[in-house]
Amino acid sequence: MTEQLLKILIVGDGCVGKSSFVHRYVSGQFNRSYKMTVGVDFSVKVLQWSDREKVRIHLWDIAGQEHFISMTRIYYKDALGCVVMFDVANESSFLSCRHWKQDLDNKVMLPNGDSIPCILLANKCDLAQRVVSADSIDKFSRANGFITWMETSVKENTNIGEAMRRLVQHILSIHSSLNPLDPRPEESATAPPGSEVNSNAAGGCC
Ligand code: GDP
Ligand code: MG
């Protein structure tokens, strides 16, 4: 049995649902209110990917600031994939995705210079008051090098596991063709300074 360690980041404006997403993905629950995320929350999910492969995902969830900020390089270091999330009922959170993606691409890349795989998630698709059209998301996703985009609802548990599965699939396919990811022993996993390893995922709020 081999085990791959994948560091995956989740970025996007505050209140779009990042911490709820991580919490849902890791523990299968949706909570309405959370305490404020401070710094970085670090969560772990282990997937049995195939008979012989396990994938250990380290999800790095940033503090829930309202607007885009440039993240430190430490946050991006060794990341193999990224989720960029916005809220379909909040246009400015959609517009910020350009900055989030640019900041990511400026600070981390694959050994061959390509950007790391990144999926765009249009969260809160359960809400009636959507302001961002599927057409504009589609155009934006193609123009900015996302592997794909998906509508999600953390509230209704729509596409959460599927979105992560696609991202992980893409990461694994890239790395098996570029240079295989060495299966890393658990103890070499790098946690962010001062972070808490929490398989139940702490959350942020707005
Ligand atoms: P973060 O700041 O990006 O980490 O966002 P949070 O996870 O703290 O979520 C912000 C708010 O949006 C909370 O009140 C969540 O309950 C709510 N929320 C998250 N996902 C969804 C969703 O899919 N649908 C709806 N209606 N609300 C959501
Ligand atoms: Mg948060």
Side-chain angles (χ1 to χ4, degrees):
M1 178 75 69
T2 60
E3 185 173 293
Q4 316 265 17
L5 171 64
L6 306 186
K7 174 178 170 180
I8 297 182
L9 312 173
I10 174 158
V11 299
D13 282 3
C15 301
V16 299
K18 300 180 298 298
S19 301
S20 307
F21 176 87
V22 171
H23 188 61
R24 171 71 94 182
Y25 182 59
V26 172
S27 73
Q29 289 167 6
F30 176 77
N31 288 348
R32 264 180 189 284
S33 59
Y34 288 122
K35 61 182 169 28
M36 175 70 90
T37 311
V38 178
V40 175
D41 278 329
F42 173 67
S43 308
V44 181
K45 169 115 175 165
V46 179
L47 299 178
Q48 185 73 46
W49 193 253
S50 70
D51 289 353
R52 306 189 55 199
E53 271 177 305
K54 269 189 183 174
V55 176
R56 178 174 292 262
I57 300 174
H58 285 185
L59 275 162
W60 290 44
D61 172 28
I62 57 165
Q65 67 286 331
E66 288 301 318
H67 299 291
F68 167 77
I69 54 153
S70 181
M71 298 295 293
T72 69
R73 283 179 193 273
I74 293 168
Y75 177 70
Y76 290 114
K77 190 172 180 294
D78 298 330
L80 295 175
C82 183
V83 173
V84 177
M85 180 177 280
F86 68 96
D87 168 355
V88 286
N90 175 341
E91 188 169 25
S92 79
S93 72
F94 175 57
L95 298 175
S96 295
C97 290
R98 187 181 306 278
H99 302 292
W100 287 112
K101 181 70 164 67
Q102 277 168 3
D103 197 44
L104 176 80
D105 290 345
N106 286 339
K107 290 179 181 156
V108 64
M109 61 183 67
L110 294 173
N112 68 0
D114 286 352
S115 40
I116 64 166
C118 196
I119 191 166
L120 179 65
L121 298 186
N123 191 39
K124 308 198 187 180
C125 69
D126 57 282
L127 294 178
Q129 63 271 32
R130 307 172 52 123
V131 294
V132 188
S133 72
D135 193 41
S136 53
I137 303 169
D138 197 51
K139 282 199 182 107
F140 173 77
S141 166
R142 288 166 198 275
N144 288 276
F146 288 91
I147 59 173
T148 190
W149 71 277
M150 290 176 85
E151 290 189 343
T152 55
S153 167
V154 179
K155 185 177 180 189
E156 296 185 347
N157 202 7
T158 309
N159 280 340
I160 308 306
E162 178 62 12
M164 288 299 294
R165 202 189 58 75
R166 285 207 200 178
L167 180 60
V168 169
Q169 174 93 66
H170 202 94
I171 294 169
L172 295 179
S173 69
I174 284 181
H175 288 274
S176 60
S177 64
L178 275 179
N179 59 331
L181 286 167
D182 293 330
R184 280 183 263 182
E186 203 175 318
E187 54 274 17
S188 73
T190 49
S195 70
E196 197 183 329
V197 177
N198 177 8
S199 58
N200 284 317
C205 86
C206 41

